[in-house]
Amino acid sequence: ESPTPAPTLAATLAIATGVTIIGESAAFSRDGTWFAFTARPSGAATGADIYVWHTGDQMARKLSTDGATIFASWANDLVVGSRSGTESRSDGRLAATTVVIDPTTGSETARVAGLWKPVVDPTQRYAIGWSGTLLRDPAGSDPRPADGDMTMTSWQPDASGSATSVKLPDISGPLADFDVRWDETGSWVAIWVADPGDATLGRLTLYHVDLASGTLERPKGAPTEQPALPGFSMGNGRLAWATPSGQDAQGSRVQVVAWSGDGVGTVETVPGEDVIVVR
């Protein structure tokens, strides 16, 4: 028998203090050397900005400073952010613009007008986000989707310079919040949409991407609008999420589904109390 290793504690490092984290989209870059998230100063009524932290640094730093830009996803080693404009209509709706920012130099390029919080797949073929207008949340300063639809858009423009978009079924505004996560192949994507009356609860759906046609499919056995708490994990052919307490007369559970090819099946359900799935 080999000796059992002594338990060790992982080192902890506070990379940001005095801020409130916004949203569910915080993520490492693909190579794991950068971490990006959205935050605003604690107790402040100002809007949010993107913060980035590089491995080896003591603290995270602001990548945007306008109080109107949030982190959406990574496109290789570049930050994808969304920026809300000023009220341009009598009903107070806001326009959205997606920008791509180099985390090292801070230089940015406008990418897609009218697209909010696009999450780019690892192959950079597609991005899923909100296509439409925004409305400032009356309870705070951060905007939320108003009129429009969730769409899957070509991330790389075609020869004419335009990008094609496909509407996602049954996801239209207004929305309280949403979260999108791809698997490492870019062939599967899970979308969580917050309930209109309570953003701490939502519905989770797993889609398969038909790479030939660029359309989304719901395979038999895949979770469709399943009740789920914010935050879920996806990768290596599995999707895990926490169910709200009270489902099936039980407490919260960690539910896991797996897929192989086009087939999807439940592989595990673990009961628990106050469960949260982070990644």
Side-chain angles (χ1 to χ4, degrees):
E1 295 184 2
S2 58
T4 301
T8 59
L9 294 176
T12 59
L13 176 67
I15 63 173
T17 58
V19 298
T20 299
I21 305 299
I22 306 298
E24 302 289 335
S25 58
F28 277 96
S29 60
R30 194 169 184 181
D31 63 5
T33 61
W34 288 94
F35 183 72
F37 58 96
T38 307
R40 64 167 173 249
S42 298
T46 59
D49 278 297
I50 298 174
Y51 287 71
V52 292
W53 174 78
H54 190 267
T55 54
D57 291 348
Q58 287 296 311
M59 298 291 291
R61 59 179 174 83
K62 271 189 178 183
L63 188 60
S64 64
T65 57
D66 59 352
T69 306
I70 68 168
F71 172 68
S73 63
W74 288 92
N76 274 346
D77 56 353
L78 298 177
V79 171
V80 179
S82 285
R83 179 168 295 144
S84 59
T86 57
E87 287 83 353
S88 57
R89 302 177 359 175
S90 59
D91 57 6
R93 296 305 197 257
L94 311 175
T97 300
T98 289
V99 295
V100 177
I101 311 174
D102 186 321
T104 303
T105 65
S107 61
E108 66 176 56
T109 304
R111 190 56 185 265
V112 183
L115 196 61
W116 177 253
K117 286 177 63 177
V119 181
V120 183
D121 87 90
T123 68
Q124 298 195 67
R125 289 169 297 187
Y126 302 108
I128 291 179
W130 177 257
S131 180
T133 62
L134 307 171
L135 185 64
R136 201 167 299 285
D137 189 341
S141 57
D142 301 305
R144 53 193 168 106
D147 302 317
D149 301 276
M150 290 285 290
T151 63
M152 185 171 72
T153 303
S154 299
W155 185 246
Q156 302 295 340
D158 58 24
S160 65
S162 60
T164 58
S165 297
V166 177
K167 292 182 180 180
L168 272 67
D170 306 323
I171 306 180
S172 57
L175 298 179
D177 199 3
F178 66 88
D179 189 12
V180 178
R181 298 184 190 179
W182 297 84
D183 78 331
E184 62 276 7
T185 69
S187 301
W188 294 83
V189 62
I191 301 175
W192 177 87
V193 177
D195 289 347
D198 186 356
T200 64
L201 303 173
R203 303 278 171 170
L204 182 67
T205 301
L206 176 65
Y207 297 91
H208 180 257
V209 182
D210 186 330
L211 299 180
S213 62
T215 58
L216 294 172
E217 305 169 336
R218 293 176 176 174
K220 183 179 180 181
T224 300
E225 296 188 359
Q226 289 292 309
L229 297 175
F232 56 93
S233 177
M234 188 167 181
N236 298 321
R238 294 175 179 84
L239 170 65
W241 71 94
T243 65
S245 180
Q247 296 292 313
D248 301 324
Q250 298 183 21
S252 296
R253 294 175 295 154
V254 174
Q255 191 155 344
V256 183
V257 299
W259 55 86
S260 177
D262 293 334
V264 181
T266 301
V267 295
E268 187 174 8
T269 299
V270 182
E273 292 294 336
D274 300 322
V275 177
I276 296 176
V277 175
V278 179
R279 284 292 179 188

